[in-house]
Amino acid sequence: MLPRIQYAQTSDRVSIAYWAMGEGVPIVLLYPPGFSNIQFEWDIPELRETYESVAQWATVVRFDHRNHGLSERDVAEVSLEAYERDLLGVLDRLELPRVHLFGAGDCGKVALDFAVNHPARVASISLFRTNPGAGSAAAAPGWLSLVGLLKSDWQLFTNLLATALNGLDDGAQTSRIAHLIRESVTATEFEVANAALAAADVQALLPEVKTPVLVLHRMDTPFFQIDRPRQLVATIPDARLSVLAGKSPFAWDQGVVEAIRAYSYVKTFSLP
């Protein structure tokens, strides 16, 4: 069942929609730009089942960043720092002193920067498809071939992006993913959010990350190359790599959950 959706307010007075469910280790999920609507996600069976499964052993926290989903729209400031204010507003509203952060795609930059700026608030981090440097996490030739459609045909762009991520075997699932993107953002919001995070470069901060970091990579999905995960593990002092099988289009699925749950620091982490 969809948890009760509530609102937090950021330091710059932006209203952020969130929900929390379960008991145990607090895990805050940061999804990449264009893939976040905390209500519509529950209409996708795989996401709903995974949320409910994880809530049996952890407190799952989901929120929509500014200009996404049910959060406040038409917000002018979109940046790495603004996304961190969204996160901090939710943590403070829930009175969570210390959490595990799961950062997918370019929101992995948000998790890393936040951990350096607020080390006492972050117990550990999991990163999925994160590029720490300037540029999008998905800056591969296949992705660049789609970007040209973004301004000219939003419907076609989202349909093709969903097809590229999910393949042709399950048309219903591909349609749900395309719908999720359109329920998350407009074409302009998608472009602005991706550009803002792509412009951010947190590579210089990686040696300063003091929390344990689990770097996740799935081999059989398009756009994302393993050189970025290798760079993260080589540069962050306490990082390890977990390579997953399969081609699930979702950042948060059962394979990812199993890897995170096996991650020893998550298992032993508890609130003071």
Side-chain angles (χ1 to χ4, degrees):
M1 178 182 295
L2 175 68
R4 182 163 67 102
I5 293 173
Q6 303 182 74
Y7 281 85
Q9 192 168 74
T10 68
S11 59
D12 56 342
R13 304 188 67 80
V14 177
S15 295
I16 301 299
Y18 74 91
W19 55 252
M21 64 180 295
E23 296 181 3
V25 177
I27 301 178
V28 182
L29 310 179
L30 310 178
Y31 287 177
F35 294 85
S36 184
N37 183 308
I38 61 170
Q39 179 175 328
F40 181 77
E41 289 166 6
W42 280 78
D43 292 337
I44 299 178
E46 289 82 353
L47 288 175
R48 181 178 67 249
E49 291 164 8
T50 306
Y51 290 147
E52 292 174 340
S53 172
V54 176
Q56 296 177 25
W57 57 272
T59 299
V60 185
V61 180
R62 274 287 294 126
F63 69 94
D64 290 329
H65 281 292
R66 57 188 62 203
N67 296 334
H68 277 72
L70 303 183
S71 287
E72 187 171 340
R73 311 294 277 264
D74 299 320
V75 180
E77 186 180 357
V78 181
S79 64
L80 181 71
E81 294 75 18
Y83 271 36
E84 289 181 44
R85 288 197 291 273
D86 298 347
L87 170 59
L88 186 59
V90 173
L91 297 189
D92 287 347
R93 176 69 176 81
L94 287 169
E95 299 182 343
L96 292 173
R98 199 160 175 251
V99 299
H100 175 87
L101 293 179
F102 173 81
D106 288 333
C107 272
K109 297 179 182 180
V110 179
L112 289 166
D113 198 61
F114 187 86
V116 172
N117 292 330
H118 304 274
R121 304 296 296 267
V122 182
S124 57
I125 300 172
S126 295
L127 300 174
F128 186 76
R129 299 171 175 160
T130 293
N131 168 33
S136 169
W143 165 253
L144 297 176
S145 68
L146 291 178
V147 171
L149 287 171
L150 182 54
K151 285 182 168 50
S152 61
D153 195 328
W154 175 236
Q155 181 92 12
L156 180 58
F157 171 81
T158 56
N159 288 340
L160 290 177
L161 177 56
T163 301
L165 290 170
N166 194 58
L168 298 171
D169 295 338
D170 187 343
Q173 182 75 301
T174 297
S175 295
R176 284 191 288 266
I177 294 169
H179 191 196
L180 170 62
I181 300 169
R182 293 191 291 269
E183 290 289 331
S184 298
V185 286
T186 64
T188 298
E189 288 166 343
F190 184 88
E191 184 177 21
V192 169
N194 276 283
L197 289 188
D201 187 338
V202 301
Q203 291 182 99
L205 297 179
L206 298 183
E208 300 178 37
V209 177
K210 304 305 182 186
T211 60
V213 176
L214 177 66
V215 180
L216 298 151
H217 180 73
R218 184 176 285 122
M219 292 297 293
D220 301 324
T221 51
F223 308 144
F224 307 99
Q225 301 169 345
I226 198 170
D227 57 326
R228 270 85 177 263
R230 288 189 184 122
Q231 176 194 1
L232 287 165
V233 174
T235 311
I236 297 172
D238 188 6
R240 68 184 76 174
L241 176 64
S242 179
V243 178
L244 309 176
K247 59 177 184 178
S248 170
F250 297 113
W252 185 253
D253 70 354
Q254 201 56 44
V256 169
V257 167
E258 289 171 4
I260 291 175
R261 193 174 187 186
Y263 186 29
S264 60
Y265 202 72
V266 174
K267 288 198 297 183
T268 58
F269 164 51
S270 60
L271 289 174

